[in-house]
Structure formats: C-alpha cells, structure tokens
Amino acid sequence: MANQTASLIEENQQLKAKIQELEDALAKKSAQHRVKITTMSSEVVDSNPYSRLMALKRMGIVKNYEDIRHYTVAIVGVGGVGSVTAEMLTRCGIGKLILFDYDKVELANMNRLFFRPDQSGMSKVEASEATLRDINPDVEFETHNYNITKVDKYDHFVGRIKSGGLQGKPVDLVLSCVDNFEARMAINMACNEINQMWIESGVSENAVSGHIQVVIPGQTSCFACAPPLVVADNIDEKTLKREGVCAASLPTTMGIVAGFLVQNTLKHLLQFGSVTHYLGYNAMKDYFPTMALKPNPHCDDSFCLIRQEEYQQYLAENPPEAESEDPTEDVVHESNEWGITLVDETPESEKKEELDPDLAKGLARAYDMPSVEQVRILVKDSTESQQETEEPVSLEELQSRLKGL
Amino acid sequence: MANQTASLIEENQQLKAKIQELEDALAKKSAQHRVKITTMSSEVVDSNPYSRLMALKRMGIVKNYEDIRHYTVAIVGVGGVGSVTAEMLTRCGIGKLILFDYDKVELANMNRLFFRPDQSGMSKVEASEATLRDINPDVEFETHNYNITKVDKYDHFVGRIKSGGLQGKPVDLVLSCVDNFEARMAINMACNEINQMWIESGVSENAVSGHIQVVIPGQTSCFACAPPLVVADNIDEKTLKREGVCAASLPTTMGIVAGFLVQNTLKHLLQFGSVTHYLGYNAMKDYFPTMALKPNPHCDDSFCLIRQEEYQQYLAENPPEAESEDPTEDVVHESNEWGITLVDETPESEKKEELDPDLAKGLARAYDMPSVEQVRILVKDSTESQQETEEPVSLEELQSRLKGL
C-alpha cells in the first residue's frame, strides 16, 4: 500500500512535468497576437506597424494617411488576385474588408501567394480572415462564404454593398477579383443599379497577361458597355478556350495585378496621383497599355443608361472648364499613345461596329458580347450550376444554359 | 492511507486527461506539412501544387517548366522586395534559394507583405526559411545571417555565389533586393569579378516608384558604369534625403517590383518572352519606362572592362547577323519610345557628360557617382558601420567615412 502510494506520487510528478512541457510547447506555437492600436502614429520606432505608411505624409505623397481607417472595401473573389489584394489592404490598415468567396483552399492553389498548405480544405474566406486578423487586428472583417451569382445570395450581396460599410454606410469601393464572366456581370449589374464605383481585374488563362479596369457608373464604360479587354499574347485563342483544360497561373502575374489594383484603390481613396482607368500588363514583353473608355450610349444595361444621363446632367450643370473632375480626362496620360475611347455618338445601325473599335495595339476582347438580359436571367437561374467554376464561362456555355431554361 | 491512494489515483486520471487535451491542441496547432514531391506532374487534380505551373507547357508559354528544379537563385536582402521575391520563387518550385540578410523582423515591417507579427525579433532569414519550407518543402534553402559588405563576410558571400548552386555549381542568378548603395556596389563588384549575371531592384524612399535592372557583365551597363536610375516623381529631392527621416514604403509598390523581378527571372531561366533590361514603375501615373543600357567603356571597375573586352571579342567571332543573342538589342522594344543607350565611344575628356546623358523622360539618377575604388575601400572597412542601415548611404556619408580612415 505504501509502495503503491509512493509510485503514484512519483508518477503524478512525472505527469505534471509532462503537462508543463506541453503547455510551454503550446504557448510557443500560439502566434503572439499584437494588441490593437487605437490611433495611427507617425512615431519612428521598430514597434510601430504604421510608421512607414504615415511617412507618406512627411514625404508629401498623401495628406491624411490615417483617413484610410474610415474606408470599407468589398473584395469579390479571394483567389490568386483577391487574397493578395486583401493582404495588401490589411497591411495598409484599411478600416474594414468584406470578403466574398465560396471556394475551398486546395494544394493546387499553392503556386499563388497567400494561402498555406495547412489551410487546404478550409473555405477561402475563413482561411483568409484567420491569416489577416493575425497580420492586423485593427482591421474589421466581414466574410461571406457563398456564390454571389446564386439567386438566393445576389440580393444579400447587393445589400452588403449598400450598407456593409463602417457605421452602416455603403462600401467605398468594390474590387472584382473573380475568375469568370458571370460573376463579373453580376457585380456590374449590382454596381450600375446602386451607383457604386468598382474596379475589375483579371488574369489570362495562359498566366502571362492581366489588367485592371475602373468602372464609375455613367462616367466610364461599364462591363456591359463593351466586352472586357485582355492583352493579347500572339497565342492562338483556341488554345485558351479548350474545355476541361486547367488554366495556368503564376504568382508573379497575379501579384502584379493585385498590386496595380490596390495601388489605384489607395490613390482613389487617399486622393494622390492619378487613377488609371484601364491598365494592362503583358508579361512576355513588359508592355503596359492604358486607355480611357467612355460609356456606350447603347449599353444593354438600363441602369448604366440612367447613370449616363445623370452624369451628363451633372456635366451640363458643372461645365468641365470650371470642374476638372471628369475622370475620363484624367487618365489620358502620356503613355496612352493611342488615346482610344469608345465613340459616344453612334447611330443604332452602327452599334455592332462600335463594340469593336480599333483597339490599342496588343489588346483583344476577352469574350464576345452577350446581352445583359441573358446574364440577368442567368443570375436568377444559377443556383445549381456554379459549384465547379474555376474556368471562365464561355459564351457558348451561357447560351446552352439559356436554351436549357 | 487508502484515502490518499484513492485521491492520488483520481488525480492521476485527471492529469492524463489533461495531457491528452494538450497533445490534441498541439497537434492541431502544428502545420500539416505536405510531403515532398519527387517529380513535377501535370496532372489536373486539386492535390497537385504544380498543376497550374505545368499548365504553362500546355498553353505553349514554357517548353520545359520542370527544368526550374535545376536552378539556384541567390537573393541578397530579404526585406519588402526580397521576401516576396523568395516566396514567389518558392511557390514556382525553384531548385534552390540562397538568402542573405542580417536584419531582424520588426513590427515596423508589417506594412509590407510576407512577415507576420509573431515573427518579430527573429532574424529575417530564419523567419523566411521557416515560412518558405512550410509553403514548399521541395525547395532547397541555404541562409546566411550576415552583412555581405563586411570585410570578414564578403569573401564567403562571393564563394557561395561561385559554388552554392545545386551540385556545387555557380548560382544561376543573383537578385539584389537590398536597400542601400553600398550593398549594391558590393554585389556589382563580386558579379563583375566572377562574371555572374544579376538583377538589381529598388524602391524609392517615398514608396511610389521602383525599378529593376538586369546586369550582364560586359554586355550591359554595370552598377558602376552609371549611377542607378530612378523614376522621378516631381518631388523635391531634398525631402528624400533628410537625415533621420524614416523612409516610406507600401506593400503595393514592393509587391509589384518583386513581381517584375521574378517574372524576368522566370523568363530568363525558362527561356520564354523577352527579358527587359531596365523596367521602371511610377505609381503616381502608372508609367513604366524601359531602356537598354550599354556598358561604359570608361567604367571605374576594372573587371567590368575585362568583361567588356571579352564580350567584344565574342561579338567579333560571332557577328550579330548570325547571332541574335545580344541582349542589348532584345530590350529596345516598342514601348521604349526614346531608345536611349549610353554612348560607348567617348573620349576621356567627355566622360563626366557621358554619365549624364539625356535620360528618358521621367527618369533621374538615384545617386551621384562615386568611384568604385571608394566603395572597394569602404567594403573593406565597413565592419562596424553597417548595423543600422535601412537608409541608403549618401555620397556625403561615403566621403565622410573615407575621410575618417
């Protein structure tokens, strides 16, 4: 009995030592979360995560960097471009991020920045939020693990754009980082309806070109005014469209496009430099076409036409001479050698041609032009068809779906 | 006694339960490392981390993507640009990375991509290696936590460039991601001496411009042939040079420069597209100057002159008509509107002017021109002076250090 007691005492001491050891190991594994910071400071100390950003004020680049905390950005699609976009804005100390995605992290995504192999199987928004909160606990996050093009989610998506900003305000900017045509058209439709500025982004399926395009309803070409542009790479288009072919991607091209997207977001929100309305990237030649795109007065989207009318009325009341805020003027900058804009006064009979103007050298249309009505119907009917999209939906596919209705 | 035994047995059970609980928590915290992969496969399955890269072959972009496993890249400086550069190459499945840095991770670095707050206090190379191994265990890593410009480290640095590649070969490319003039000159000196191609990168102190510049000894301008170029931002140079002022930085600009650096690295190693010898980025206007820079026949670096002579001899034996491999020809592409190259036949008396040709619009020299000899002496004497550099060393500072000898 005395022996049993003695050995139990000894065993319990060993168990306690083991517990201490495990607790130490666990403490070491847990990330040391940094404390929240109430006010952005310019103090130049190693412990200040905002010193190098607040230095933009001292350098004369940005007047009120700390204003970034008042802004909310919605990111639709948290893949190769969207995840890096979210990380950049988080590190810049944005006020709030709203993330939309319905996909899961896979090992096949590891050739792009951001996600880690141990996050495989997690939803992309859940994995993103965990990583981003660790990086900057000062940012507010709201995530939605659903497909915005589904009939039962679209209205909720529009509602969050309208009132998901800080203090229940509309978000300040929507960034489209999706990889398919249908989701882009859904974002376009929503933003035209509620008069919301957004920026579209895209990377080609061969991974060596990409672009961003700013859409201000009524002021610049919307996604329905003209098919999106891509930087052509002298590659047979057919090789890009074969079914069942896995798209190529590179962390470089996607990181660069995310960089362009966030840089122009910062310029817009914090009012420095000039926002570029269309910026392309051709990795093969390091070629960067820019252009200004005016809205199409025959656009299929009726809300686009309403926004155009509103903007024309605004211009009539605030003539450009007194008012230099016309964004389509700002972007025709030095390197836009061709200065191409869509013609804005064309009879109905010439409409088809208008949609295919002589594009800037090196650019091609990413898709043929479907009507907004087709997509509007599709949004209402996509409840079951959207689970596997990593590939853009082709026009053919859109049409066969419509026939199936 | 019986009571004591009973309570000991109960305690014993509780302790064991606690151990189980802690072990479960610990297992959950530990990253699920993915297993090493012996051969890159093109198989299109969610579990294949290389499917989207191998798709570059099917897309007709790269002939032998899997060759990337044979290459070694050395990255000098693992800060805002170097860490993202390392992550991109790791995710692309590069054979081996050699990282050089002597700095520690600080919270003040959190406005750039890659490092996490819980890594504060770790050396940058140690923190990088841990993160990168988790992302891709197939890559071989070698790290050096020292300052390459120190007299007792410089020779070791040169030795690793000469024989740190896979199978003891020289590395295939050196990427300079440092933030000061002295380290760039040390890399330049080493690469001229051992005839090693390298790519320089840089971001301005106001965070809104950056560049990459390819240096092939004897074929293109080396770092001593002409001071480095920066994209000018119409900002008073004096505001950039005040002492004690903390440089601004942005995750966008640094991510974009890293993207340009790795994209051109991939194009060079895997032989697709055309490598751009000088690519600038002006974030304020989304302006991207490119140019070709020929070597300066009066360069202060004697090894640069030897390499130039070797290259001229090579050209004489392999006339350009039969041999289209002159890289300075390749890069004069469409968007290089000015086609500026340094004059390569100028008498000694005109040397000063030659170093300040009419630069492409929007470009300015980043520094005045010191002699290579000054820097050579400095490298040998920098044992104590280099611990705190985050700021580039100015010419004034260089000269005052020289006076102090």
Side-chain angles (χ1 to χ4, degrees), chain B residues 292-319:
Chain B
L293 293 164
K294 285 191 179 168
N296 177 357
H298 307 287
C299 181
D300 280 338
D301 187 305
S302 58
F303 282 106
C304 176
L305 300 181
I306 294 170
R307 301 299 157 231
Q308 289 186 45
E309 212 169 294
E310 287 169 358
Y311 183 60
Q312 289 311 315
Q313 195 161 343
Y314 169 83
L315 285 184
E317 289 163 11
N318 305 270

PDB file of all heavy atoms in Angstrom, chain B residues 292-319:
ATOM      1  N   ALA B 292      17.530  50.250 -72.823  1.00  0.00           N
ATOM      2  CA  ALA B 292      18.698  49.381 -72.874  1.00  0.00           C
ATOM      3  C   ALA B 292      19.905  50.211 -72.471  1.00  0.00           C
ATOM      4  O   ALA B 292      20.033  51.362 -72.889  1.00  0.00           O
ATOM      5  CB  ALA B 292      18.881  48.845 -74.281  1.00  0.00           C
ATOM      6  N   LEU B 293      20.774  49.682 -71.655  1.00  0.00           N
ATOM      7  CA  LEU B 293      21.937  50.427 -71.197  1.00  0.00           C
ATOM      8  C   LEU B 293      23.210  49.671 -71.562  1.00  0.00           C
ATOM      9  O   LEU B 293      23.443  48.567 -71.081  1.00  0.00           O
ATOM     10  CB  LEU B 293      21.865  50.602 -69.673  1.00  0.00           C
ATOM     11  CG  LEU B 293      20.733  51.484 -69.150  1.00  0.00           C
ATOM     12  CD1 LEU B 293      20.527  51.254 -67.659  1.00  0.00           C
ATOM     13  CD2 LEU B 293      21.025  52.948 -69.427  1.00  0.00           C
ATOM     14  N   LYS B 294      24.011  50.282 -72.450  1.00  0.00           N
ATOM     15  CA  LYS B 294      25.276  49.636 -72.817  1.00  0.00           C
ATOM     16  C   LYS B 294      26.340  49.935 -71.772  1.00  0.00           C
ATOM     17  O   LYS B 294      26.263  50.957 -71.083  1.00  0.00           O
ATOM     18  CB  LYS B 294      25.715  50.148 -74.190  1.00  0.00           C
ATOM     19  CG  LYS B 294      24.887  49.517 -75.301  1.00  0.00           C
ATOM     20  CD  LYS B 294      25.460  49.802 -76.675  1.00  0.00           C
ATOM     21  CE  LYS B 294      24.606  49.120 -77.739  1.00  0.00           C
ATOM     22  NZ  LYS B 294      24.930  49.580 -79.081  1.00  0.00           N
ATOM     23  N   PRO B 295      27.344  49.089 -71.647  1.00  0.00           N
ATOM     24  CA  PRO B 295      28.373  49.349 -70.633  1.00  0.00           C
ATOM     25  C   PRO B 295      29.198  50.599 -70.960  1.00  0.00           C
ATOM     26  O   PRO B 295      29.321  50.992 -72.118  1.00  0.00           O
ATOM     27  CB  PRO B 295      29.232  48.091 -70.650  1.00  0.00           C
ATOM     28  CG  PRO B 295      28.900  47.371 -71.898  1.00  0.00           C
ATOM     29  CD  PRO B 295      27.550  47.826 -72.346  1.00  0.00           C
ATOM     30  N   ASN B 296      29.735  51.209 -69.931  1.00  0.00           N
ATOM     31  CA  ASN B 296      30.567  52.397 -70.065  1.00  0.00           C
ATOM     32  C   ASN B 296      32.018  51.969 -70.291  1.00  0.00           C
ATOM     33  O   ASN B 296      32.614  51.333 -69.420  1.00  0.00           O
ATOM     34  CB  ASN B 296      30.428  53.212 -68.764  1.00  0.00           C
ATOM     35  CG  ASN B 296      31.313  54.440 -68.748  1.00  0.00           C
ATOM     36  OD1 ASN B 296      32.089  54.683 -69.667  1.00  0.00           O
ATOM     37  ND2 ASN B 296      31.186  55.203 -67.675  1.00  0.00           N
ATOM     38  N   PRO B 297      32.603  52.300 -71.473  1.00  0.00           N
ATOM     39  CA  PRO B 297      33.971  51.846 -71.757  1.00  0.00           C
ATOM     40  C   PRO B 297      34.999  52.478 -70.818  1.00  0.00           C
ATOM     41  O   PRO B 297      36.170  52.086 -70.842  1.00  0.00           O
ATOM     42  CB  PRO B 297      34.193  52.272 -73.207  1.00  0.00           C
ATOM     43  CG  PRO B 297      33.194  53.330 -73.469  1.00  0.00           C
ATOM     44  CD  PRO B 297      32.025  53.081 -72.576  1.00  0.00           C
ATOM     45  N   HIS B 298      34.567  53.450 -70.017  1.00  0.00           N
ATOM     46  CA  HIS B 298      35.481  54.073 -69.049  1.00  0.00           C
ATOM     47  C   HIS B 298      35.077  53.739 -67.628  1.00  0.00           C
ATOM     48  O   HIS B 298      35.399  54.457 -66.691  1.00  0.00           O
ATOM     49  CB  HIS B 298      35.485  55.589 -69.252  1.00  0.00           C
ATOM     50  CG  HIS B 298      35.762  55.985 -70.658  1.00  0.00           C
ATOM     51  ND1 HIS B 298      37.023  55.886 -71.215  1.00  0.00           N
ATOM     52  CD2 HIS B 298      34.939  56.418 -71.646  1.00  0.00           C
ATOM     53  CE1 HIS B 298      36.958  56.266 -72.483  1.00  0.00           C
ATOM     54  NE2 HIS B 298      35.712  56.591 -72.772  1.00  0.00           N
ATOM     55  N   CYS B 299      34.356  52.657 -67.464  1.00  0.00           N
ATOM     56  CA  CYS B 299      33.894  52.261 -66.130  1.00  0.00           C
ATOM     57  C   CYS B 299      35.083  52.154 -65.172  1.00  0.00           C
ATOM     58  O   CYS B 299      36.163  51.696 -65.550  1.00  0.00           O
ATOM     59  CB  CYS B 299      33.163  50.919 -66.221  1.00  0.00           C
ATOM     60  SG  CYS B 299      32.521  50.349 -64.634  1.00  0.00           S
ATOM     61  N   ASP B 300      34.858  52.563 -63.926  1.00  0.00           N
ATOM     62  CA  ASP B 300      35.905  52.513 -62.900  1.00  0.00           C
ATOM     63  C   ASP B 300      36.223  51.086 -62.450  1.00  0.00           C
ATOM     64  O   ASP B 300      37.240  50.847 -61.809  1.00  0.00           O
ATOM     65  CB  ASP B 300      35.459  53.300 -61.664  1.00  0.00           C
ATOM     66  CG  ASP B 300      35.652  54.799 -61.853  1.00  0.00           C
ATOM     67  OD1 ASP B 300      36.482  55.179 -62.715  1.00  0.00           O
ATOM     68  OD2 ASP B 300      34.977  55.564 -61.148  1.00  0.00           O
ATOM     69  N   ASP B 301      35.321  50.162 -62.725  1.00  0.00           N
ATOM     70  CA  ASP B 301      35.519  48.785 -62.270  1.00  0.00           C
ATOM     71  C   ASP B 301      36.355  48.039 -63.312  1.00  0.00           C
ATOM     72  O   ASP B 301      35.914  47.816 -64.443  1.00  0.00           O
ATOM     73  CB  ASP B 301      34.165  48.103 -62.077  1.00  0.00           C
ATOM     74  CG  ASP B 301      34.289  46.729 -61.438  1.00  0.00           C
ATOM     75  OD1 ASP B 301      35.040  45.876 -61.966  1.00  0.00           O
ATOM     76  OD2 ASP B 301      33.621  46.498 -60.415  1.00  0.00           O
ATOM     77  N   SER B 302      37.574  47.642 -62.937  1.00  0.00           N
ATOM     78  CA  SER B 302      38.490  47.031 -63.899  1.00  0.00           C
ATOM     79  C   SER B 302      37.949  45.694 -64.431  1.00  0.00           C
ATOM     80  O   SER B 302      38.168  45.348 -65.581  1.00  0.00           O
ATOM     81  CB  SER B 302      39.867  46.833 -63.277  1.00  0.00           C
ATOM     82  OG  SER B 302      39.763  46.026 -62.126  1.00  0.00           O
ATOM     83  N   PHE B 303      37.213  44.961 -63.575  1.00  0.00           N
ATOM     84  CA  PHE B 303      36.660  43.690 -64.052  1.00  0.00           C
ATOM     85  C   PHE B 303      35.548  43.922 -65.075  1.00  0.00           C
ATOM     86  O   PHE B 303      35.372  43.129 -65.998  1.00  0.00           O
ATOM     87  CB  PHE B 303      36.156  42.836 -62.885  1.00  0.00           C
ATOM     88  CG  PHE B 303      37.286  42.155 -62.161  1.00  0.00           C
ATOM     89  CD1 PHE B 303      37.699  42.608 -60.915  1.00  0.00           C
ATOM     90  CD2 PHE B 303      37.946  41.076 -62.736  1.00  0.00           C
ATOM     91  CE1 PHE B 303      38.750  41.979 -60.257  1.00  0.00           C
ATOM     92  CE2 PHE B 303      38.994  40.448 -62.090  1.00  0.00           C
ATOM     93  CZ  PHE B 303      39.404  40.903 -60.841  1.00  0.00           C
ATOM     94  N   CYS B 304      34.812  45.025 -64.924  1.00  0.00           N
ATOM     95  CA  CYS B 304      33.795  45.382 -65.930  1.00  0.00           C
ATOM     96  C   CYS B 304      34.495  45.560 -67.277  1.00  0.00           C
ATOM     97  O   CYS B 304      34.012  45.064 -68.308  1.00  0.00           O
ATOM     98  CB  CYS B 304      33.051  46.651 -65.531  1.00  0.00           C
ATOM     99  SG  CYS B 304      31.851  47.225 -66.758  1.00  0.00           S
ATOM    100  N   LEU B 305      35.658  46.243 -67.286  1.00  0.00           N
ATOM    101  CA  LEU B 305      36.383  46.480 -68.540  1.00  0.00           C
ATOM    102  C   LEU B 305      36.861  45.171 -69.162  1.00  0.00           C
ATOM    103  O   LEU B 305      36.786  44.979 -70.382  1.00  0.00           O
ATOM    104  CB  LEU B 305      37.556  47.438 -68.301  1.00  0.00           C
ATOM    105  CG  LEU B 305      37.183  48.834 -67.764  1.00  0.00           C
ATOM    106  CD1 LEU B 305      38.427  49.692 -67.581  1.00  0.00           C
ATOM    107  CD2 LEU B 305      36.184  49.522 -68.696  1.00  0.00           C
ATOM    108  N   ILE B 306      37.310  44.248 -68.316  1.00  0.00           N
ATOM    109  CA  ILE B 306      37.741  42.932 -68.822  1.00  0.00           C
ATOM    110  C   ILE B 306      36.560  42.200 -69.469  1.00  0.00           C
ATOM    111  O   ILE B 306      36.666  41.639 -70.557  1.00  0.00           O
ATOM    112  CB  ILE B 306      38.345  42.072 -67.680  1.00  0.00           C
ATOM    113  CG1 ILE B 306      39.648  42.725 -67.178  1.00  0.00           C
ATOM    114  CG2 ILE B 306      38.595  40.626 -68.136  1.00  0.00           C
ATOM    115  CD1 ILE B 306      40.200  42.095 -65.905  1.00  0.00           C
ATOM    116  N   ARG B 307      35.398  42.232 -68.773  1.00  0.00           N
ATOM    117  CA  ARG B 307      34.211  41.551 -69.318  1.00  0.00           C
ATOM    118  C   ARG B 307      33.774  42.199 -70.642  1.00  0.00           C
ATOM    119  O   ARG B 307      33.325  41.506 -71.558  1.00  0.00           O
ATOM    120  CB  ARG B 307      33.044  41.602 -68.333  1.00  0.00           C
ATOM    121  CG  ARG B 307      33.300  40.967 -66.981  1.00  0.00           C
ATOM    122  CD  ARG B 307      33.633  39.488 -67.043  1.00  0.00           C
ATOM    123  NE  ARG B 307      34.364  39.110 -65.837  1.00  0.00           N
ATOM    124  CZ  ARG B 307      35.518  38.458 -65.797  1.00  0.00           C
ATOM    125  NH1 ARG B 307      36.090  38.061 -66.923  1.00  0.00           N
ATOM    126  NH2 ARG B 307      36.103  38.184 -64.659  1.00  0.00           N
ATOM    127  N   GLN B 308      33.892  43.533 -70.725  1.00  0.00           N
ATOM    128  CA  GLN B 308      33.528  44.224 -71.972  1.00  0.00           C
ATOM    129  C   GLN B 308      34.419  43.765 -73.119  1.00  0.00           C
ATOM    130  O   GLN B 308      33.954  43.518 -74.237  1.00  0.00           O
ATOM    131  CB  GLN B 308      33.670  45.747 -71.803  1.00  0.00           C
ATOM    132  CG  GLN B 308      32.623  46.374 -70.898  1.00  0.00           C
ATOM    133  CD  GLN B 308      32.706  47.887 -70.884  1.00  0.00           C
ATOM    134  OE1 GLN B 308      32.829  48.506 -71.934  1.00  0.00           O
ATOM    135  NE2 GLN B 308      32.653  48.485 -69.703  1.00  0.00           N
ATOM    136  N   GLU B 309      35.709  43.646 -72.824  1.00  0.00           N
ATOM    137  CA  GLU B 309      36.668  43.212 -73.841  1.00  0.00           C
ATOM    138  C   GLU B 309      36.337  41.791 -74.307  1.00  0.00           C
ATOM    139  O   GLU B 309      36.305  41.506 -75.508  1.00  0.00           O
ATOM    140  CB  GLU B 309      38.069  43.242 -73.222  1.00  0.00           C
ATOM    141  CG  GLU B 309      39.166  43.582 -74.201  1.00  0.00           C
ATOM    142  CD  GLU B 309      40.462  43.860 -73.447  1.00  0.00           C
ATOM    143  OE1 GLU B 309      40.521  44.859 -72.693  1.00  0.00           O
ATOM    144  OE2 GLU B 309      41.391  43.034 -73.579  1.00  0.00           O
ATOM    145  N   GLU B 310      36.066  40.920 -73.340  1.00  0.00           N
ATOM    146  CA  GLU B 310      35.699  39.534 -73.666  1.00  0.00           C
ATOM    147  C   GLU B 310      34.464  39.494 -74.563  1.00  0.00           C
ATOM    148  O   GLU B 310      34.398  38.733 -75.528  1.00  0.00           O
ATOM    149  CB  GLU B 310      35.394  38.742 -72.388  1.00  0.00           C
ATOM    150  CG  GLU B 310      36.627  38.383 -71.562  1.00  0.00           C
ATOM    151  CD  GLU B 310      36.245  37.839 -70.192  1.00  0.00           C
ATOM    152  OE1 GLU B 310      35.044  37.771 -69.870  1.00  0.00           O
ATOM    153  OE2 GLU B 310      37.174  37.492 -69.430  1.00  0.00           O
ATOM    154  N   TYR B 311      33.489  40.341 -74.213  1.00  0.00           N
ATOM    155  CA  TYR B 311      32.243  40.327 -74.971  1.00  0.00           C
ATOM    156  C   TYR B 311      32.450  40.864 -76.386  1.00  0.00           C
ATOM    157  O   TYR B 311      31.886  40.331 -77.350  1.00  0.00           O
ATOM    158  CB  TYR B 311      31.160  41.126 -74.242  1.00  0.00           C
ATOM    159  CG  TYR B 311      29.826  41.091 -74.940  1.00  0.00           C
ATOM    160  CD1 TYR B 311      29.179  39.865 -75.148  1.00  0.00           C
ATOM    161  CD2 TYR B 311      29.221  42.249 -75.404  1.00  0.00           C
ATOM    162  CE1 TYR B 311      27.953  39.814 -75.795  1.00  0.00           C
ATOM    163  CE2 TYR B 311      27.992  42.202 -76.060  1.00  0.00           C
ATOM    164  CZ  TYR B 311      27.368  40.990 -76.253  1.00  0.00           C
ATOM    165  OH  TYR B 311      26.164  40.928 -76.905  1.00  0.00           O
ATOM    166  N   GLN B 312      33.280  41.911 -76.522  1.00  0.00           N
ATOM    167  CA  GLN B 312      33.564  42.454 -77.848  1.00  0.00           C
ATOM    168  C   GLN B 312      34.256  41.399 -78.713  1.00  0.00           C
ATOM    169  O   GLN B 312      33.976  41.265 -79.905  1.00  0.00           O
ATOM    170  CB  GLN B 312      34.413  43.732 -77.765  1.00  0.00           C
ATOM    171  CG  GLN B 312      33.654  44.945 -77.216  1.00  0.00           C
ATOM    172  CD  GLN B 312      32.308  45.165 -77.897  1.00  0.00           C
ATOM    173  OE1 GLN B 312      32.199  45.091 -79.121  1.00  0.00           O
ATOM    174  NE2 GLN B 312      31.262  45.397 -77.106  1.00  0.00           N
ATOM    175  N   GLN B 313      35.155  40.651 -78.080  1.00  0.00           N
ATOM    176  CA  GLN B 313      35.851  39.577 -78.795  1.00  0.00           C
ATOM    177  C   GLN B 313      34.855  38.497 -79.242  1.00  0.00           C
ATOM    178  O   GLN B 313      34.893  38.018 -80.370  1.00  0.00           O
ATOM    179  CB  GLN B 313      36.900  38.975 -77.880  1.00  0.00           C
ATOM    180  CG  GLN B 313      37.901  38.116 -78.641  1.00  0.00           C
ATOM    181  CD  GLN B 313      39.170  37.903 -77.836  1.00  0.00           C
ATOM    182  OE1 GLN B 313      39.438  38.635 -76.863  1.00  0.00           O
ATOM    183  NE2 GLN B 313      39.950  36.903 -78.204  1.00  0.00           N
ATOM    184  N   TYR B 314      33.938  38.183 -78.320  1.00  0.00           N
ATOM    185  CA  TYR B 314      32.899  37.199 -78.630  1.00  0.00           C
ATOM    186  C   TYR B 314      32.066  37.673 -79.820  1.00  0.00           C
ATOM    187  O   TYR B 314      31.788  36.909 -80.749  1.00  0.00           O
ATOM    188  CB  TYR B 314      32.015  36.968 -77.412  1.00  0.00           C
ATOM    189  CG  TYR B 314      30.764  36.178 -77.702  1.00  0.00           C
ATOM    190  CD1 TYR B 314      30.796  34.779 -77.744  1.00  0.00           C
ATOM    191  CD2 TYR B 314      29.550  36.820 -77.958  1.00  0.00           C
ATOM    192  CE1 TYR B 314      29.657  34.049 -78.028  1.00  0.00           C
ATOM    193  CE2 TYR B 314      28.405  36.097 -78.248  1.00  0.00           C
ATOM    194  CZ  TYR B 314      28.458  34.713 -78.285  1.00  0.00           C
ATOM    195  OH  TYR B 314      27.338  33.988 -78.576  1.00  0.00           O
ATOM    196  N   LEU B 315      31.712  38.974 -79.802  1.00  0.00           N
ATOM    197  CA  LEU B 315      30.904  39.517 -80.899  1.00  0.00           C
ATOM    198  C   LEU B 315      31.666  39.489 -82.216  1.00  0.00           C
ATOM    199  O   LEU B 315      31.089  39.209 -83.269  1.00  0.00           O
ATOM    200  CB  LEU B 315      30.461  40.951 -80.591  1.00  0.00           C
ATOM    201  CG  LEU B 315      29.340  41.143 -79.580  1.00  0.00           C
ATOM    202  CD1 LEU B 315      28.970  42.617 -79.466  1.00  0.00           C
ATOM    203  CD2 LEU B 315      28.098  40.318 -79.961  1.00  0.00           C
ATOM    204  N   ALA B 316      32.981  39.766 -82.156  1.00  0.00           N
ATOM    205  CA  ALA B 316      33.800  39.755 -83.367  1.00  0.00           C
ATOM    206  C   ALA B 316      33.828  38.349 -83.966  1.00  0.00           C
ATOM    207  O   ALA B 316      33.773  38.179 -85.185  1.00  0.00           O
ATOM    208  CB  ALA B 316      35.213  40.227 -83.040  1.00  0.00           C
ATOM    209  N   GLU B 317      33.880  37.359 -83.089  1.00  0.00           N
ATOM    210  CA  GLU B 317      33.921  35.961 -83.558  1.00  0.00           C
ATOM    211  C   GLU B 317      32.537  35.445 -83.931  1.00  0.00           C
ATOM    212  O   GLU B 317      32.400  34.488 -84.685  1.00  0.00           O
ATOM    213  CB  GLU B 317      34.535  35.065 -82.479  1.00  0.00           C
ATOM    214  CG  GLU B 317      36.039  35.296 -82.297  1.00  0.00           C
ATOM    215  CD  GLU B 317      36.566  34.741 -80.977  1.00  0.00           C
ATOM    216  OE1 GLU B 317      35.817  33.995 -80.304  1.00  0.00           O
ATOM    217  OE2 GLU B 317      37.719  35.067 -80.627  1.00  0.00           O
ATOM    218  N   ASN B 318      31.497  36.050 -83.358  1.00  0.00           N
ATOM    219  CA  ASN B 318      30.120  35.644 -83.652  1.00  0.00           C
ATOM    220  C   ASN B 318      29.321  36.881 -84.050  1.00  0.00           C
ATOM    221  O   ASN B 318      28.583  37.434 -83.246  1.00  0.00           O
ATOM    222  CB  ASN B 318      29.466  35.009 -82.417  1.00  0.00           C
ATOM    223  CG  ASN B 318      30.277  33.850 -81.870  1.00  0.00           C
ATOM    224  OD1 ASN B 318      30.087  32.719 -82.266  1.00  0.00           O
ATOM    225  ND2 ASN B 318      31.200  34.160 -80.956  1.00  0.00           N
ATOM    226  N   PRO B 319      29.494  37.337 -85.304  1.00  0.00           N
ATOM    227  CA  PRO B 319      28.859  38.596 -85.719  1.00  0.00           C
ATOM    228  C   PRO B 319      27.346  38.585 -85.457  1.00  0.00           C
ATOM    229  O   PRO B 319      26.701  37.549 -85.656  1.00  0.00           O
ATOM    230  CB  PRO B 319      29.138  38.663 -87.219  1.00  0.00           C
ATOM    231  CG  PRO B 319      30.219  37.675 -87.490  1.00  0.00           C
ATOM    232  CD  PRO B 319      30.199  36.663 -86.392  1.00  0.00           C
TER     233      PRO B 319
END
